Amino acid sequence: MKLQYVGAALVLGGLCFLGGCAKSGDSTTTASSNSSTSGTSGAKQSVVYIPKNTGNAYFDSVITGFEKAGKEKGFDFTTVAPANASATSQIDFIKQQIQRGVNAIAISPNSPDALVPVLKEAMGKGIKVVTIDADLEKNENARDAVVLPVDFSIIGTSQIDLMSSLIGGKGDIAILSATTDAPNQNAWIAGMKKALTLPKYKGIKLVEVVYGDDEPQKSQRETEALLTKFPNLKGIIAPTSVGLVAAAQALETAQVAKKVQLTGLGLPNQMRRFVQNGTVQKFALWDPGKMGYAAGYLIAGMFDKSVKAAPGGSFKAGDLGSLKFGDKNTVVAGPPLVFDAKNIDHYKF
Ligand code: RAM
């Protein structure tokens, strides 16, 4: 299945969802408190969101969605994150939140297994645990549910399909990923490798996967190293918003945008300039705010017991309507989108 270009109605939906949701730039929230009182009476339940790391505008957008849900449902919302996205960097933050006595932890995990003992400890103390943006692959019993932005099973093929259309189905490509442990990027890369075994992509060869650790400078350096190491490289896929913008910068600086095609997953606000000046023709993502908003509604429903996380069940997620629990309590928040010069101005995240 391919990613879809969206019609005007959906474009407007995305625009209006967070009322001008763009938190542009990459300032990062270390703690924000929502003091709304609507939706519940008495003491408010508390939700903390722990993104992969600070300094990533993608997570600012998730936070905006969470804050909107917190206002509508009346829970207290805060967010804290480590400076880097290494596998173990979130452990101390989770421990602090357990000590603080928070009622729910939402987390975008940097590892599928390193966090398992401490998240199980949290669950053992009655804290709701919901992973968002990425899951604890094979350790799903260390969380109550997961909210994914889109159906992960289509991302690998759709990224290869995008690249194939850019390079005419032929040539060497490389992947610039986030960290080596990132469960979401690793799931998408596995999907890309599987897609490359299909006869229709037989002209495309994956020559290397490199890791920028979701740090702009390292991602840029890794891109430059790829250009040096593979002079005949035809394309780079960066399935990370940090990596994609850094790689675009590297191609622009090296003046090789005509020779090396770049696509991946990125934020329209960060990629607009590179699409408008022709460095990047098209790339994909989803609205990260919708995922935060959906997770907020899910957690609020778990608090008041109106939502029971179980495959086949569903819950009302405010403006997003009804969302379903799939296998392993997996919730998918919305559709994937492809951005290009024609539609990028419609998106403000
Ligand atoms: C980066 C992060 C995040 C991922 C996006 C696409 O911001 O790695 O986890 O979902 O890219």
Side-chain angles (χ1 to χ4, degrees):
M1 183 173 157
K2 288 186 186 173
L3 297 190
Q4 308 276 323
Y5 284 86
V6 290
L10 196 50
V11 169
L12 285 176
L15 268 177
C16 301
F17 173 65
L18 294 171
C21 64
K23 268 198 173 176
S24 60
D26 54 4
S27 72
T28 311
T29 319
T30 49
S32 77
S33 187
N34 161 24
S35 57
S36 161
T37 51
S38 63
T40 56
S41 56
K44 284 202 278 179
Q45 302 269 29
S46 54
V47 179
V48 67
Y49 169 50
I50 308 178
K52 283 177 165 182
N53 60 342
T54 55
N56 182 343
Y58 177 92
F59 296 118
D60 293 344
S61 193
V62 178
I63 288 164
T64 306
F66 243 125
E67 286 171 341
K68 178 169 149 70
K71 285 199 182 92
E72 291 172 8
K73 296 303 287 179
F75 58 77
D76 187 68
F77 175 76
T78 54
T79 175
V80 288
N84 68 66
S86 70
T88 54
S89 63
Q90 292 165 313
I91 292 175
D92 284 347
F93 288 82
I94 300 168
K95 285 184 181 159
Q96 282 160 15
Q97 295 303 317
I98 295 173
Q99 276 197 340
R100 198 188 128 207
V102 74
N103 301 107
I105 296 174
I107 185 161
S108 298
N110 281 321
S111 159
D113 38 42
L115 312 176
V116 168
V118 69
L119 288 178
K120 282 190 174 164
E121 184 190 329
M123 289 175 81
K125 298 208 154 111
I127 298 170
K128 310 286 180 214
V129 174
V130 172
T131 46
I132 77 173
D133 184 52
D135 203 5
L136 305 167
E137 314 266 344
K138 299 200 175 76
N139 290 303
E140 290 86 358
N141 63 349
R143 50 69 169 165
D144 293 293
V146 60
V147 180
L148 298 179
V150 289
D151 177 358
F152 271 20
S153 69
I154 65 170
I155 295 299
T157 309
S158 59
Q159 290 278 287
I160 294 297
D161 204 61
L162 266 178
M163 177 52 74
S164 181
S165 70
L166 292 168
I167 62 172
K170 206 164 171 290
D172 290 353
I173 64 163
I175 294 173
L176 168 69
S177 189
T179 60
T180 51
D181 296 282
N184 48 349
Q185 272 88 12
N186 285 345
W188 303 329
I189 292 170
M192 290 185 222
K193 288 182 174 166
K194 195 169 162 213
L196 285 172
T197 64
L198 297 173
K200 65 175 170 173
Y201 302 124
K202 67 177 187 312
I204 303 175
K205 188 175 163 211
L206 175 63
V207 291
E208 190 148 316
V209 181
V210 296
Y211 298 88
D213 294 345
D214 270 351
E215 288 175 21
Q217 284 173 1
K218 179 158 194 269
S219 302
Q220 206 168 322
R221 282 201 306 276
E222 292 292 344
T223 307
E224 288 157 4
L226 283 174
L227 298 177
T228 308
K229 187 168 174 190
F230 302 103
N232 294 322
L233 198 66
K234 287 282 180 302
I236 298 174
I237 301 177
T240 136
S241 60
V242 179
L244 186 61
V245 73
Q249 187 61 62
L251 295 196
E252 185 184 64
T253 306
Q255 299 188 320
V256 292
K258 294 268 176 301
K259 194 169 161 260
V260 182
Q261 295 294 324
L262 172 65
T263 193
L265 301 172
L267 290 163
N269 281 355
Q270 294 186 322
M271 293 302 294
R272 191 164 287 113
R273 182 172 83 76
F274 297 106
V275 170
Q276 282 164 353
N277 73 14
T279 306
V280 172
Q281 291 184 40
K282 48 187 177 174
F283 66 98
L285 198 73
W286 40 81
D287 183 344
K290 290 188 178 176
M291 180 173 56
Y293 184 74
Y297 266 79
L298 165 58
I299 291 169
M302 288 165 87
F303 285 154
D304 68 18
K305 300 198 169 37
S306 62
V307 174
K308 190 175 171 337
S314 64
F315 66 99
K316 289 254 165 16
D319 297 350
L320 298 179
S322 180
L323 296 176
K324 284 191 192 123
F325 290 102
D327 193 28
K328 298 176 184 160
N329 294 348
T330 302
V331 176
V332 170
L337 308 164
V338 173
F339 312 100
D340 61 14
K342 285 200 202 93
N343 70 5
I344 194 160
D345 282 342
H346 296 303
Y347 296 96
K348 306 292 177 200
F349 53 84

